[in-house]
Amino acid sequence: MLLFFLRCLARRRNRKPKDLHVSSHRSRRLIVHQNLCRAFFAVPALRVWSVFLFFVALFPAALLAGQQNGGDQAFAELVVDESQKSKERSKVEPILRRPGSEFDLGHRDENEEKLNQEILEDFFRRYFLARMTNASKIGQLPQIRGEVRDKCAASKNKSNVMDELNQITSGMMHALCNGVLQTTDASGQTQQVIVIQESVRDQNDQLRLVQAKDDLVAKDQVFDLSGRPVAQSNIATLAPAEADFHPAVKLNAMLVLRDLNDKQPKKGKPQTAEPRVNTQRDLIAYLESSEKLSDILLIGALSGIARHAEFEQDSNRKNRIATVVAAVVDLPGAAGRSDDAAGWIRRQAVDILGNIGLPGNGSRYVAKLYKIIRDEKEPLPLRIAAAEALRKMDLSRLPDGVMEKLTRSLTQLASDACDYEIVEQLRQNRPFSKPRLQHRLAAVRLAVTGDLQGEATDGGQMAGGLMAVATDEDQASLQKLLTEIQKIETRLSTLAATTPSNQVEDLLQESVRGLKGLQVTEDGPQPPAPQTAENP
């Protein structure tokens, strides 16, 4: 149903505001929403529910930033140099593809090598990548992103060319993420520019954004929006411009960064790719400075690091990813970040943390998931996501007493899921959602049983859930919880769309009573978090 909704939304992209028979302000909202839908719809790494939550969280705040008082939002664009297009077949393709070509980087003739670098840089910076910023091409961003992947893949047999192309692409994408800046020269003349940084990381591997002249370093390159270089010596002041790139452009830039590889995949075998390590370090720097990022950039960085977490084989780098993602799970409500957006971001971080698995180190993060699951002040969807992540973690080294606490917290979570449908839905004259409750109960059940099909996590360990590592005594408690959930699921299966709401509420009330009856200390104090390396 959700997939059908998103597709229907995307089909309306050619309709003009006057055809929608709505106010001009609402028209602008819908058009921006449609554009982002088309740009984001082709993100393979994110689930359909993630796409939906993306729009719920970000549409009012991030996508419509600047559209106050009903005014139109003007977005900046780079000038696309169409004259560069003619070089694609005659010069660029030979550099990328033909071994031993006269346009081969690494040629003994240094002048020719420099010329080839200039050919690649001008083509990609002034034409190929600049197209991404064109407002009329927002709906084509997935296609353009695919074309960038194809160009990078074309250079797979020429590592020096691939490295050069990665550097050009990375520099441009970071420039789009950094945004449009405005310079003022000594005479007071202003112009809009972008900055292609030597690196987005400083000497300490911390994120280095450029928002003022003092942020520039000697090797940073400044260009006006037509692609002409601007000498740093001619810049008196530098500050963010009033008009920036479209949010979809910035998100797309992060997704391009996500797709860069040090080793291109074999044909038909995407799993053979080796994501670019330098980009991984960049993404970690972004996530470590999440308070400096917009919702759009933070979501894009999470999408990128999710791919690196999936492919990474080095245990040290994988643990570094887990550390930074775990910090995002604790993301505080920063000024300007909506609760919905922060909730979505934290939920995605929890999902990534679960997918990493971390054999032998999973208990370091169990306390973090446990705190979320047991905290009734946390959003229920986030608590459910934590339960889903729990079943993917390595639970083989949990300290004594932790299993009992996790069992109680999961029992409370199942009870709260049923109670939500009573208090927040039925008693507020909102529709009860049988599929939603079934999904939430299944998340609790699978946290106990694990993956019943025996699927291994990325780290190689079996995702067996709590039952696989529980003692006989703890298994008895877990089995009682499973039995109660199965009873509720059986009752839910008897409900139809025509079932009166009072009968639905009676069924849910009975379910809550059954789950609360399992609580060992129903009215007792909240148990402390499990003692782990992170929570001693």
Side-chain angles (χ1 to χ4, degrees), residues 328-403:
V328 176
V329 173
D330 294 330
L331 182 72
R337 201 184 300 283
S338 71
D339 291 340
D340 286 337
W344 188 94
I345 289 165
R346 295 179 66 202
R347 183 174 176 181
Q348 186 71 359
V350 164
D351 194 43
I352 296 170
L353 194 61
N355 288 333
I356 292 175
L358 293 174
N361 294 308
S363 60
R364 290 182 55 195
Y365 303 104
V366 171
K368 189 176 295 292
L369 298 178
Y370 168 74
K371 288 178 181 178
I372 294 173
I373 293 171
R374 76 169 187 173
D375 190 349
E376 297 178 36
K377 295 181 180 179
E378 291 282 19
L380 188 57
L382 180 64
R383 296 170 66 196
I384 293 296
E388 292 176 327
L390 184 65
R391 74 177 177 86
K392 304 173 187 176
M393 301 294 289
D394 177 15
L395 304 173
S396 58
R397 301 183 185 181
L398 294 181
D400 293 340
V402 170
M403 189 67 65

Side-chain angles (χ1 to χ4, degrees), residues 147-158:
E147 292 172 359
V148 174
R149 285 196 298 268
D150 292 342
K151 290 294 185 196
C152 292
S155 63
K156 63 182 179 181
N157 295 321
K158 302 169 75 173

Side-chain angles (χ1 to χ4, degrees), residues 182-487:
Q182 180 170 293
T183 66
T184 306
D185 62 19
S187 66
Q189 295 293 318
T190 63
Q191 64 178 331
Q192 293 180 325
V193 300
I194 61 170
V195 177
I196 296 182
Q197 298 169 250
E198 178 189 19
S199 173
V200 295
R201 290 174 279 113
D202 62 18
Q203 64 272 21
N204 298 316
D205 256 8
Q206 299 300 302
L207 181 65
R208 183 176 69 88
L209 297 176
V210 176
Q211 301 292 293
K213 184 179 180 180
D214 290 344
D215 297 330
L216 291 170
V217 299
K219 291 188 178 181
D220 288 344
Q221 297 176 286
V222 184
F223 297 93
D224 66 18
L225 301 193
S226 297
R228 294 185 294 266
V230 177
Q232 289 193 29
S233 58
N234 293 334
I235 299 175
T237 64
L238 185 68
E242 182 176 345
D244 202 354
F245 298 117
H246 194 289
V249 171
K250 294 194 170 194
L251 176 61
N252 187 68
M254 275 293 185
L255 298 182
V256 170
L257 288 171
R258 177 198 65 185
D259 293 341
L260 294 179
N261 297 311
D262 279 332
K263 179 181 178 182
Q264 300 299 334
K266 297 179 181 178
K267 188 175 182 179
K269 296 181 178 180
Q271 70 276 11
T272 59
E274 293 181 9
R276 187 170 182 255
V277 173
N278 273 338
T279 298
Q280 182 183 121
R281 294 171 65 189
D282 293 342
L283 292 170
I284 286 175
Y286 277 111
L287 293 174
E288 286 180 333
S289 299
S290 59
E291 73 282 356
K292 299 179 181 179
L293 304 184
S294 66
D295 298 335
I296 287 284
L297 292 182
L298 186 48
I299 284 171
L302 278 172
S303 175
I305 210 67
R307 178 176 185 257
H308 283 264
E310 177 186 357
F311 282 80
E312 187 56 68
Q313 299 299 315
D314 183 89
S315 59
N316 290 329
R317 287 201 289 262
K318 200 156 193 170
N319 275 292
R320 177 78 190 282
I321 292 172
T323 299
V324 71
V325 170
V328 176
V329 173
D330 294 330
L331 182 72
R337 201 184 300 283
S338 71
D339 291 340
D340 286 337
W344 188 94
I345 289 165
R346 295 179 66 202
R347 183 174 176 181
Q348 186 71 359
V350 164
D351 194 43
I352 296 170
L353 194 61
N355 288 333
I356 292 175
L358 293 174
N361 294 308
S363 60
R364 290 182 55 195
Y365 303 104
V366 171
K368 189 176 295 292
L369 298 178
Y370 168 74
K371 288 178 181 178
I372 294 173
I373 293 171
R374 76 169 187 173
D375 190 349
E376 297 178 36
K377 295 181 180 179
E378 291 282 19
L380 188 57
L382 180 64
R383 296 170 66 196
I384 293 296
E388 292 176 327
L390 184 65
R391 74 177 177 86
K392 304 173 187 176
M393 301 294 289
D394 177 15
L395 304 173
S396 58
R397 301 183 185 181
L398 294 181
D400 293 340
V402 170
M403 189 67 65
E404 180 184 346
K405 296 171 183 177
L406 287 170
T407 302
R408 286 202 300 265
S409 65
L410 288 171
T411 303
Q412 184 62 48
L413 178 59
S415 175
D416 290 344
C418 295
D419 204 43
Y420 172 87
E421 299 297 338
I422 300 172
V423 177
E424 300 296 331
Q425 300 300 117
L426 292 175
R427 293 182 182 175
Q428 301 295 329
N429 293 321
R430 297 170 183 155
F432 158 71
S433 174
K434 176 179 170 181
R436 177 174 57 214
L437 181 55
Q438 288 174 322
H439 164 76
R440 290 172 173 175
L441 291 173
V444 176
R445 173 165 45 80
L446 289 174
V448 175
T449 63
D451 192 326
L452 297 181
Q453 297 177 348
E455 180 181 343
T457 65
D458 291 341
Q461 79 276 14
M462 300 307 292
L466 296 176
M467 191 68 84
V469 296
T471 63
D472 290 344
E473 182 180 352
D474 288 328
Q475 282 187 358
S477 298
L478 290 169
Q479 187 57 55
K480 291 178 181 179
L481 173 58
L482 285 177
T483 300
E484 194 62 37
I485 289 177
Q486 289 166 353
K487 289 180 182 178

